[in-house]
Amino acid sequence: MQCVVVGVDSLRDEDGTWRIRAMTGNPNQTTALETTTVEWVKRVQELGAGEIVLNCMGSDGVRRGYDVEQLAAVRAVCDVPLIASGGAGEMDHFIDVFAEADVDGALAASVFHSGAVSIPELKDRLASEGVVVRRAEKEQEV
């Protein structure tokens, strides 16, 4: 099954509100928009988004854990699969985001590139914690 996945870059403003950001590929051009993250997530679902990847920019790259508070707030209005992005630094961060924010997936990059977290070991740990884990055919054959 295929769907349109919408990536949402979000950051908490000084007033405490999460707002979406545009032009995030270039720090000199990144712009805060008036639209709140929660409003945008509702809107993209109305437009037909089949899945949402929420990049919590305040957590991205720092390896101190996912922004569970923000993800839980978005989960409350998100009826399609929600993927957490930004913050993974260790296996427990994955456990926390599934348990506390009820996400459908957790994206990570640097912890896998660096070898700090092993994907097979992470899948085993998630499964042992009761998280449903999809296994590739090759994994099932081993």
Side-chain angles (χ1 to χ4, degrees):
M1 173 200 242
Q2 296 295 316
C3 65
V4 172
V5 179
V6 174
V8 177
D9 289 330
S10 176
L11 189 63
R12 180 174 256 168
D13 286 338
E14 289 181 15
D15 68 0
T17 304
W18 294 293
R19 288 193 174 79
I20 58 172
R21 298 300 195 261
M23 308 293 284
T24 58
N26 181 337
N28 296 326
Q29 294 180 342
T30 298
T31 306
L33 303 180
E34 286 297 315
T35 306
T36 70
T37 302
V38 169
E39 289 169 346
W40 185 239
V41 167
K42 289 178 185 177
R43 180 69 180 131
V44 296
Q45 288 176 97
E46 291 168 1
L47 294 170
E51 190 166 309
I52 294 172
V53 175
L54 180 61
N55 179 31
C56 301
M57 294 173 64
S59 304
D60 197 17
V62 297
R63 294 188 182 188
R64 285 188 238 137
Y66 293 93
D67 185 343
V68 172
E69 181 184 2
Q70 182 175 184
L71 287 155
V74 168
R75 171 83 284 163
V77 301
C78 186
D79 297 320
V80 299
L82 176 62
I83 309 302
S85 176
E90 58 188 57
M91 285 194 199
D92 284 344
H93 295 155
F94 291 89
I95 303 300
D96 294 345
V97 77
F98 283 105
E100 298 173 28
D102 191 30
V103 297
D104 299 284
L107 184 155
S110 64
V111 294
F112 299 134
H113 297 304
S114 69
V117 174
S118 156
I119 294 172
E121 289 175 14
L122 174 60
K123 285 183 164 187
D124 290 343
R125 174 81 188 283
L126 288 169
S128 75
E129 296 286 337
V131 177
V132 176
V133 178
R134 182 174 50 222
R135 303 285 185 165
E137 283 185 37
K138 288 181 181 179
E139 286 178 276
Q140 294 170 358
E141 294 172 4
V142 176

